[in-house]
Amino acid sequence: MTSKERLVIIGNGMAPGRMMDELFERAPGRYEVTVFNAEPRVNYDRIMLSPVLSGEKAYEDIIIHGDQWYADHGVTLHRGEKIVTIDRTAKTVTSDKGTVAAYDKLVIATGSNPFIIPVPGADLPGVITYRDLDDVEKMLEASRTRKRAIVIGGGLLGLEAAAGLKMQGMDVTVIHVMPTLMERQLDPAGGYLLQKAMEDRGIEVRTKANTKAIIGDGHVEGIELASGEIIPADIVVMAVGIRPNTGLAQEAGLACNRGIVVNNAMQTSDGVIFSLGECAEVDGQVYGIVAPLYEMARVLAAHLCDDTSSVFVHADTPTKLKVTGINLFSLGDFGEGDDREEIVLRDATSGVYKRLILKDNRIIGTVLFGDVADGAWFNDLKKKATDISEMRETLIFGQSYQGGAPLDPMAAVAALPDDAEICGCNGICKGKITGAITEKGLTSLDDVRAHTKASASCGTCTGLVEQLMALTLGDTYNPAAVQPMCGCTDLGHDDVRRLIKAKELKSIPAVMQELEWKSSCGCAKCRPALNYYLVCDWPDEYADDYQSRFINERVHANIQKDGTYSVVPRMWGGVTSSKELRAIADVVDKFNIPTVKCTGGQRIDMLGIKKEDLPAVWADLGKAGFVSGQAYAKGLRTVKTCVGTDWCRFGTQDSTGLGIKLEKFMWGSWTPAKVKLAVSGCPRNCAEATCKDVGVVCVDSGFEIHFAGAAGLDIKGTEVLGLVKTEEEALEYIVALTQMYREQGRYLERIYKWAKRIGYDEVRRQIMDDADKRKAYFDRFVFSQKFAQVDPWSERVSGKDKHEFRPMATIGFPEAAE
Amino acid sequence: MDWHEIGRIEDIPRRGARCIKTPAGKIGIFRTAEDQVFALEDHCPHKGGPLSQGIVHGGAVTCPLHNMVIDLETGQAMGADQGFVPTIPVRNDNGVLYIGLAASGLMAAE
Ligand code: SRM
Ligand SMILES: Cc1cc2nc3c(=O)[nH]c(=O)nc-3n(C[C@H](O)[C@H](O)[C@H](O)COP(=O)(O)OP(=O)(O)OC[C@H]3O[C@@H](n4cnc5c(N)ncnc54)[C@H](O)[C@@H]3O)c2cc1C
Ligand code: SF4
Ligand code: FES
């Protein structure tokens, strides 16, 4: 056995995460890698915590390396283990849980700690920093039970926290010590516009406000300013800056300054110990955004593979704020000076402000607010130190005004040189993206992200990347542009679902008001969709809006071409009895029902019933024990079964029994589109389980669960979810899968389309591999069934919605006419 | 024209409809979110779908059979579709609703 070199990494943040990506690409298998992470989780995109806080994303959406990744690359990850000592002589590290790991090479990537201003009360419960997922969870928790938040710090982090808390429904005040917001990235005019934009969202902003103390008895109750003024609050978020986390390195005797001192190969004062990320200091600089950290990652990976040609060089990176709806871009130096000139454009009505700072006819700084489309171009001119005297008159209007080119954003992107930077976070230039698209035949944004990382971090350059795709692929590019739900809104289904949760919208008028619907009360497309989303998300609180349901779901029968209705009672698992059949026969005779038919779903359909007769038909069926078969519902329809071990000589399990259990457990639940199940007793598959939304094929060793089949407008065999041993497990997994679909599916999207969209592996990961998730889905389904599992027929027999089944008036017939 | 009392506005759900039976066929009576009331023959110009069973939105109804959208005020099909449903006059006297029918129309149907 050849022993590999042992690489130990302390910290599992964005910098070492990227470093490992680069390392495994260059030299897969060269090192045996062990990672210690004080946070109890895998590598995730810290930048995207603000969208998680605002509710626009979930934690799952921002994971960079999932469990599978560590397994695939043979990386040992110790989560929730903090390294407490480095023994440089023995070449070992020791964690707070006592784990000892020996290294040949060590990487310190401990990031930063949030700075806490040392005022009285700073240690009170309710004072929260903003650094990791735990902080976000604390804030979300607070937003559910508490009303008022104060954010101390008007920089990037503070403003993102304020916007997120506001979206969670809190009253938010930002306290900033300087006269304008984000003064290190924005000039005063930009800061003023930003303040207005924050105030427009209902966030109070106090500048020149100095915090003297945080007050409260046992928990935060407010803050006291230096002026003596007291502002009440239930939580205080401290976002005043960060300090490189150097403690461990210092104790180990490594050279430290502001950060851990490294050379331009990321090497510390100990030759086998490296450092990168926010904790590292190169050329006297420490960094707090990812672009330079990713550059460090590239350099370190090269050196770990003995490629010494790569060195770290400082570059300016633009700042962008990730608050939905606020566009801001700032780059370089914008201080005033005798040797500097500036060009300013203001358009008060559209809220646009642009300022370029020039020195010797070259751009040295840029501030854009409102319209940031030309950011990449200005960045390029600055980087190349292009002499702009020729285009000075029109420079500020942007690239599309130059050289008589038409005012077309596509033309502007087309005109960018190949080395123009598109993705600031990842330092990806235009040529790299277009090259990858053509060489690797990439056709979707996700592919481009996977192969180049462009737009995969903070995402603000997504638009540019899509334009590049459109340019490179021409007509064959089908942008993932969001398809609006309908003409009443520009938002797509996913955005609407997300915002319903994030903003806790609990009625259709609330959705339409808050999401700025363009029509007064929606249309026949969006109303049923919204009604479903609300039923699904707030099962206990939402009052189902029958006027937003399609007629079939309103009267619980299927409308036919002549305006009559068909009625399909449940026949659990397709099994019936003489008593049931007799009751059906009696109903057919009594109401003169013209057609009785066996459906494709193993039950009996009575067609051609007059609407007025429906309640009486149901009353008679109800007496025989029937409930609605929901043959009309975007909900659970049938569970087909075969005879299984009860009778069949090949049966391996009780397929009929399991089918009936599933149907009894799941009936009544509303879903994005209809859901059909089947259980076959053996792989001969007589119940056709392998073309259903969810199917089970019984085998000797248990139950093989299938999903995402189709046999209607499309034909598609199912995917295998996995094998489970017992009926109880089969039920739990199927119910969890259905709930996952209920929560994520777009209205009218069958399971096979949803699963394809989000990825079959993702479904397997959440349902098969993640027991906590599965249990949580299962529990939410069970909870919602409390409100859904009510037989709609018996409700109507007892008088509900009487008006539906009777004409409002009868006039003009002989007896009524004079 | 004869005015016939048909009931009160509260008998129709907001953004909903009911139907009225007459010898000349059914009439759909619609109530919008803003409490305007309209009446149309309950017969879609496309294939005769019962409009009173459709979803009411704004000043329009979507036919339950194949989704044609009909303007409640004019009876005209909206969007790209062609078609027209006869409208019936409605009077609202303090919540009591009346529809106006040509006496001859009723007689003819008998
Ligand atoms: C009654 C029945 C036909 C029959 O006589 O056997 C039937 C009847 C209708 N089907 Fe079906 N489907 C029936 C089994 C099926 C099956 C077979 C099955 O369930 O095993 C399929 C293929 C599997 C599937 O679900 O995809 C099927 C695929 C469809 C589709 C295509 C759905 C798709 O996404 O591909 C539609 C159209 C739709 O839902 O938009 C549809 C729509 C309809 C509608 C609801 C059309 C409509 O909107 O009015 C029909 C209602 C008739 C009524 O009033 O009862 N029906 N339909 C079957 C009722 C099953 C039951 O017991 O509930
Ligand atoms: C809310 C928020 C928004 C941001 N937005 C942006 C943005 O838009 N653009 C941008 O470029 N940057 C942004 N940043 C900054 C960016 O996230 C950081 O620069 C980057 O994540 C730092 O990476 P890192 O690997 O150096 O450190 P971190 O990601 O902080 O990782 C350090 C890890 O090391 C662990 N650790 C520390 N000590 C030990 C120990 N002794 N043993 C084991 N583990 C230890 C910590 O638990 C932590 O998980 C944002 C940051 C935040 C918090
Ligand atoms: S296949 Fe289904 S939808 Fe088509 S006519 Fe038959 S019952 Fe109707
Ligand atoms: S009958 Fe109304 S749309 Fe077809």
Side-chain angles (χ1 to χ4, degrees):
Chain A
M1 202 177 99
T2 55
S3 62
K4 294 182 186 174
E5 276 178 276
R6 291 162 304 182
L7 176 67
V8 171
I9 303 176
I10 307 175
N12 194 29
M14 300 188 68
R18 172 57 61 87
M19 195 282 288
M20 284 188 273
D21 278 338
E22 304 260 358
L23 181 65
F24 297 145
E25 197 162 300
R26 277 174 175 264
R30 166 161 177 180
Y31 287 94
E32 183 187 317
V33 183
T34 305
V35 182
F36 286 87
N37 194 18
E39 273 186 80
R41 42 187 75 94
V42 291
N43 188 299
Y44 64 93
D45 193 345
R46 193 177 303 288
I47 298 190
M48 297 310 265
L49 284 176
S50 296
V52 174
L53 175 62
S54 67
E56 291 166 278
K57 281 207 162 28
Y59 170 63
E60 289 73 38
D61 301 332
I62 68 165
I63 289 175
I64 299 178
H65 296 148
D67 292 311
Q68 194 59 43
W69 184 91
Y70 293 92
D72 290 347
H73 293 91
V75 174
T76 310
L77 171 65
H78 297 282
R79 1 171 161 206
E81 288 201 45
K82 185 174 175 170
I83 293 299
V84 285
T85 42
I86 303 174
D87 183 336
R88 288 168 54 194
T89 335
K91 288 205 191 167
T92 58
V93 297
T94 308
S95 83
D96 54 353
K97 301 218 171 108
T99 312
V100 180
Y103 61 83
D104 297 309
K105 284 176 184 153
L106 178 68
V107 173
I108 305 178
T110 45
S112 313
N113 292 323
F115 182 63
I116 299 195
I117 41 174
V119 291
D123 53 355
L124 276 174
V127 178
I128 305 173
T129 55
Y130 191 15
R131 180 72 193 169
D132 59 24
L133 188 68
D134 297 319
D135 297 328
V136 171
E137 279 168 357
K138 276 185 221 153
M139 285 189 243
L140 287 175
E141 174 62 34
S143 74
R144 280 189 282 271
T145 53
R146 297 174 187 269
K147 190 96 198 63
R148 292 192 49 103
I150 287 178
V151 175
I152 304 181
L156 186 107
L157 244 52
L159 296 179
E160 291 189 1
L165 290 168
K166 182 75 200 174
M167 275 186 75
Q168 295 298 347
M170 295 192 85
D171 294 335
V172 184
T173 306
V174 175
I175 305 289
H176 192 50
V177 68
M178 302 302 287
T180 57
L181 296 177
M182 283 183 74
E183 73 288 344
R184 279 190 296 154
Q185 292 92 6
L186 281 182
D187 59 6
Y192 165 77
L193 284 169
L194 177 58
Q195 177 167 349
K196 264 191 51 190
M198 297 299 285
E199 286 166 351
D200 284 347
R201 311 164 170 242
I203 295 167
E204 201 183 322
V205 178
R206 298 288 200 88
T207 53
K208 292 188 259 185
N210 206 347
T211 308
K212 186 163 126 201
I214 298 174
I215 49 180
D217 186 7
H219 191 281
V220 167
E221 285 163 24
I223 67 166
E224 184 183 352
L225 298 179
S227 62
E229 188 189 349
I230 288 180
I231 308 177
D234 305 310
I235 59 166
V236 169
V237 176
M238 187 87 75
V240 288
I242 50 174
R243 293 286 176 274
N245 187 359
T246 57
L248 190 62
Q250 260 167 351
E251 279 163 29
L254 298 172
C256 292
N257 207 349
R258 267 208 297 162
I260 303 168
V261 176
V262 294
N263 61 18
N264 61 14
M266 303 290 113
Q267 202 167 28
T268 66
S269 53
D270 177 328
V272 295
I273 303 183
F274 299 81
S275 178
L276 86 167
E278 285 186 348
C279 58
E281 175 180 324
V282 203
D283 280 338
Q285 290 247 28
V286 289
Y287 295 89
I289 50 177
V290 293
L293 309 187
Y294 284 174
E295 181 60 15
M296 294 178 183
R298 202 182 56 75
V299 172
L300 177 54
H303 283 269
L304 288 175
C305 298
D306 308 320
D307 167 0
T308 52
S309 63
S310 184
V311 293
F312 180 85
V313 197
H314 168 85
D316 278 345
T317 340
T319 301
K320 296 164 188 168
L321 183 72
K322 300 182 303 299
V323 174
T324 310
I326 297 185
N327 294 315
L328 168 165
F329 175 101
S330 118
L331 176 77
D333 183 352
F334 47 82
E336 301 191 3
D338 287 346
D339 54 346
R340 298 170 176 199
E341 297 170 276
E342 58 177 25
I343 309 177
V344 175
L345 172 80
R346 284 179 209 269
D347 179 348
T349 41
S350 56
V352 168
Y353 168 74
K354 301 184 186 184
R355 174 161 169 251
L356 295 173
I357 299 87
L358 307 176
K359 189 174 169 184
D360 304 327
N361 284 324
R362 281 163 182 88
I363 297 180
I364 59 164
T366 307
V367 179
L368 304 176
F369 193 92
D371 172 5
V372 298
D374 282 305
W377 184 59
F378 292 134
N379 187 7
D380 192 54
L381 295 177
K382 168 176 174 293
K383 205 165 77 186
K384 301 226 180 78
T386 310
D387 185 330
I388 53 84
S389 25
E390 292 285 289
M391 49 186 164
R392 201 180 163 105
E393 297 299 305
T394 55
L395 183 66
I396 192 86
F397 299 113
Q399 186 182 19
S400 43
Y401 273 88
Q402 313 308 321
L407 255 175
D408 168 8
M410 284 293 263
V413 178
L416 283 176
D418 267 355
D419 58 353
E421 186 170 278
I422 300 291
C423 174
C425 291
N426 292 294
I428 309 291
C429 63
K430 176 181 163 185
K432 184 152 178 203
I433 299 172
T434 51
I437 294 172
T438 31
E439 278 155 36
K440 305 208 171 102
L442 309 181
T443 53
S444 73
L445 184 62
D446 284 346
D447 285 348
V448 172
R449 285 184 176 160
H451 283 94
T452 66
K453 298 239 155 38
S455 80
S457 293
C458 83
T460 46
C461 62
T462 304
L464 277 176
V465 174
E466 289 199 300
Q467 284 171 354
L468 280 180
M469 297 189 65
L471 272 176
T472 318
L473 295 169
D475 287 343
T476 57
Y477 178 56
N478 180 8
V482 193
Q483 177 85 27
M485 264 177 83
C486 63
C488 305
T489 177
D490 294 329
L491 296 170
H493 285 269
D494 298 341
D495 286 326
V496 171
R497 288 212 80 166
R498 180 172 53 74
L499 292 165
I500 285 176
K501 291 244 47 133
K503 297 178 163 237
E504 301 204 4
L505 306 176
K506 296 185 183 170
S507 71
I508 290 180
V511 173
M512 293 184 175
Q513 183 61 33
E514 286 292 316
L515 306 186
E516 300 180 353
W517 238 241
K518 294 187 274 186
S519 58
S520 65
C521 72
C523 71
K525 269 193 181 154
C526 57
R527 284 237 306 273
L530 295 180
N531 191 56
Y532 167 69
Y533 296 153
L534 294 164
V535 165
C536 174
D537 288 347
W538 319 109
D540 51 340
E541 293 173 78
Y542 176 62
D544 201 323
D545 176 23
Y546 265 64
Q547 295 316 129
S548 296
R549 284 198 180 265
F550 182 65
I551 184 67
N552 288 358
E553 293 188 348
R554 207 155 73 217
V555 300
H556 299 275
N558 295 57
I559 194 166
Q560 303 296 314
K561 59 187 251 184
D562 60 356
T564 63
Y565 285 82
S566 76
V567 163
V568 187
R570 278 212 185 272
M571 215 165 245
W572 307 101
V575 178
T576 184
S577 66
S578 59
K579 176 174 162 270
E580 284 189 350
L581 291 172
R582 204 166 284 124
I584 289 181
D586 288 343
V587 166
V588 170
D589 286 346
K590 179 166 166 191
F591 295 93
N592 263 324
I593 296 174
T595 302
V596 185
K597 181 181 179 304
C598 292
T599 71
Q602 295 187 342
R603 46 200 194 163
I604 290 175
D605 195 356
M606 288 160 264
L607 299 114
I609 302 175
K610 290 197 281 301
K611 195 180 183 190
E612 297 93 289
D613 286 343
L614 288 173
V617 167
W618 295 334
D620 283 7
L621 290 171
K623 279 182 214 140
F626 283 114
V627 297
S628 170
Q630 273 133 343
Y632 46 81
K634 309 290 172 241
L636 181 81
R637 297 272 179 101
T638 61
V639 181
K640 283 175 67 165
T641 70
C642 72
V643 286
T645 40
D646 272 355
W647 295 97
C648 179
R649 64 201 165 101
F650 294 118
T652 62
Q653 307 279 356
D654 178 14
S655 49
T656 324
L658 175 58
I660 294 173
K661 274 192 197 130
L662 285 167
E663 192 168 356
K664 293 215 156 150
F665 200 89
M666 293 171 68
W667 74 273
S669 105
W670 300 105
T671 42
K674 56 188 162 192
V675 172
K676 296 176 176 178
L677 272 54
V679 186
S680 288
C682 83
R684 289 171 193 76
N685 193 18
C686 299
E688 298 168 325
T690 50
C691 63
K692 291 290 179 272
D693 296 288
V694 183
V696 178
V697 176
C698 301
V699 288
D700 277 324
S701 57
F703 303 83
E704 191 175 65
I705 306 177
H706 289 241
F707 70 113
L713 297 165
D714 290 309
I715 303 241
K716 180 184 168 304
T718 44
E719 305 287 322
V720 176
L721 181 71
L723 181 75
V724 297
K725 290 215 170 54
T726 64
E727 276 194 357
E728 289 64 43
E729 285 172 298
L731 183 94
E732 179 183 319
Y733 285 57
I734 289 171
V735 164
L737 167 74
T738 308
Q739 180 67 14
M740 181 177 174
Y741 162 62
R742 294 184 74 225
E743 291 174 12
Q744 301 182 357
R746 300 174 182 160
Y747 192 64
L748 300 186
E749 182 178 52
R750 290 286 287 265
I751 286 192
Y752 74 99
K753 291 193 174 152
W754 159 75
K756 176 156 190 254
R757 174 163 66 81
I758 68 158
Y760 304 124
D761 281 339
E762 181 62 20
V763 178
R764 289 187 195 105
R765 192 176 70 73
Q766 296 200 23
I767 304 300
M768 295 304 298
D769 307 342
D770 190 336
D772 293 343
K773 260 237 145 90
R774 180 174 66 239
K775 189 76 183 53
Y777 281 130
F778 180 84
D779 290 345
R780 287 200 290 275
F781 185 91
V782 170
F783 178 71
S784 75
Q785 282 298 75
K786 281 209 281 199
F787 311 95
Q789 230 173 35
V790 182
D791 176 36
W793 288 354
S794 68
E795 273 189 311
R796 275 148 195 84
V797 169
S798 27
K800 185 170 180 189
D801 290 337
K802 263 203 232 85
H803 64 85
E804 276 288 3
F805 304 97
R806 282 196 206 141
M808 180 168 169
T810 303
I811 48 176
F813 286 95
E815 60 271 34
E818 292 91 327
Chain B
M1 176 178 311
D2 291 339
W3 289 97
H4 300 262
E5 183 179 332
I6 55 166
R8 298 191 56 84
I9 187 166
E10 300 82 40
D11 298 338
I12 317 172
R14 278 214 176 98
R15 301 173 302 154
R18 297 283 301 269
C19 86
I20 297 164
K21 279 189 162 174
T22 80
K26 288 183 184 164
I27 291 171
I29 177 123
F30 303 84
R31 176 180 177 192
T32 67
E34 285 84 32
D35 284 343
Q36 289 168 289
V37 180
F38 299 102
L40 297 175
E41 285 190 6
D42 199 9
H43 194 85
C44 175
H46 176 227
K47 288 191 175 175
L51 296 172
S52 63
Q53 320 280 301
I55 291 182
V56 177
H57 46 93
V61 61
T62 295
C63 176
L65 291 196
H66 317 100
N67 297 328
M68 199 182 247
V69 182
I70 307 287
D71 184 323
L72 293 173
E73 189 163 7
T74 63
Q76 295 288 349
M78 297 170 71
D81 291 320
Q82 294 288 324
F84 164 74
V85 204
T87 58
I88 287 137
V90 184
R91 222 173 61 204
N92 177 350
D93 281 353
N94 291 319
V96 182
L97 302 177
Y98 300 84
I99 55 171
L101 297 177
S104 57
L106 287 181
M107 303 317 286
E110 273 166 46

